[in-house]
Amino acid sequence: MTLITPTRLSDGRELIYFDAQESSAARHRDAAATRDERELPARGPAGTARYDALTGEWIAVAAHRQSRTHLPPADQCPLCPTTTANLSEIPASDYEVIVFENRFSSFGPDLGDLPAAPAWGTTTTAYGRCEVVAFDSAHEGSFGSLQPERARTVIDAWAQRTEALSAMPGIRQVFCFENRGADIGVTLLHPHGQIYAYPFIPPRAATLAAKAAEFFEASGGRQTLMGHALAAERDSGERMVIEGEHFSAFVPFAARWPLEVHLVPHRQVADIAGLTGEERDELTMVYLELLGRLDALYPTPTPYIAAWQQAPIDTVLRPSSYLHLQLTSPRRAADKLKFLAGSEAAMGAFINDTTPEKVAEALRSASPATARKDQA
């Protein structure tokens, strides 16, 4: 059972401790142990969102993020526990998992609804919320290097925050993700992820949801698109990487990236909050194994984006949506990265330099135990 202890930072931002152990939770319940001793300035206003009438998309304008922390030395890391020499974002001497509101937020902290009929020139408040999820108090590592108990606590944190954020006014989509590696563009090396609560359904999520709804309707509400794809992949076996009791991982038939894997529950569920305890237990082990296999492909850790595709907060789209993880990496060789150039960046037409079948075979042959030892 994961224990939850909320508190506030000195500028009013919410911070929540997630602990698997009662001893840790009791320590965090002590107000003196969780007080933020910094005198931070008051939070500034939210950024803005502009409507792109040419595409129908919303673009956040967050100029205040230019001043955010960028790759600080380990002794100045804002995600490490507080010491007398480093008054960090975490007002505690130790912790298991922590979630707090991002100081340099792209969306929020204001909540509300976007204009119902935007046109060219429409500008409004960038409503929503952005949170940071610190996976562990240790400065080095990533989700894949966590011990299973700690990884399980992170999954519970994702679930609790998904449920809480989904209930906030104006939120249309909750997105949990991890960026790993300087080549991806991370600005903090401490093992962490983020959660964005958007006031709109982002373009990629909208496309997935629309195709899923179309398939669901055509089947008379009897089949889901991801469920159909999962069954086909399990029957074929060519692109399967891991097959468990509740979750399977496979390289998608039309993978865009040199390394791309989908991790999918066998049962249709809208979001992480909807997973049972047994499903979360298996997800912990399957996800750690998958990341271990990814890192076993090359001598050095592989940069990646781990993106949880959850159902939009929409009564029409939600019944046909299907939770799944999209794990992607631009790494196409030990010393080469794929960059999004003309066709991909300008036209959105991806060209893959390898075949999904070869990638799946390589991941099946990789040794996750070796990779986890190298990450430790």
Side-chain angles (χ1 to χ4, degrees), residues 12-27:
R13 286 176 294 135
E14 187 175 23
L15 180 146
I16 308 168
Y17 294 95
F18 291 85
D19 298 291
Q21 301 179 30
E22 171 60 31
S23 59
S24 296
R27 184 170 64 250

Side-chain angles (χ1 to χ4, degrees), residues 120-135:
W120 186 94
T122 298
T123 300
T124 187
T125 302
Y127 298 117
R129 184 146 162 167
C130 294
E131 298 182 339
V132 177
V133 185
F135 297 155

Side-chain angles (χ1 to χ4, degrees), residues 75-155:
D75 62 356
Q76 297 175 33
C77 175
L79 302 186
C80 284
T82 278
T83 66
T84 54
N86 178 34
L87 297 179
S88 73
E89 291 277 68
I90 317 300
S93 59
D94 195 15
Y95 66 87
E96 294 183 19
V97 176
I98 276 184
V99 178
F100 62 92
E101 290 183 76
N102 196 328
R103 189 177 176 185
F104 303 98
S105 181
S106 301
F107 298 93
D110 298 344
L111 296 171
D113 294 312
L114 296 176
W120 186 94
T122 298
T123 300
T124 187
T125 302
Y127 298 117
R129 184 146 162 167
C130 294
E131 298 182 339
V132 177
V133 185
F135 297 155
D136 193 80
S137 62
H139 179 67
E140 296 182 350
S142 61
F143 188 95
S145 61
L146 298 177
Q147 292 300 311
E149 182 183 55
R150 186 58 44 79
R152 178 66 166 78
T153 302
V154 173
I155 291 171

Side-chain angles (χ1 to χ4, degrees), residues 156-216:
D156 280 347
W158 285 336
Q160 193 275 343
R161 297 315 300 151
T162 293
E163 186 172 25
L165 293 169
S166 296
M168 290 183 177
I171 300 303
R172 302 290 307 284
Q173 181 84 44
V174 177
F175 175 46
C176 304
F177 64 102
E178 179 193 7
N179 297 329
R180 203 279 286 272
D183 290 322
I184 290 297
V186 298
T187 57
L188 296 174
L189 297 179
H190 194 107
H192 75 288
Q194 298 180 69
I195 306 175
Y196 275 25
Y198 299 99
F200 53 82
I201 303 175
R204 175 71 173 158
T207 298
L208 292 173
K211 294 302 294 183
E214 179 184 317
F215 184 91
F216 187 70

Side-chain angles (χ1 to χ4, degrees), residues 45-69:
T48 59
R50 298 188 181 192
Y51 183 70
D52 183 355
L54 300 180
T55 64
E57 299 172 6
W58 286 98
I59 308 298
V61 179
H64 59 280
R65 285 175 53 81
Q66 287 281 27
S67 60
R68 69 187 185 275
T69 307

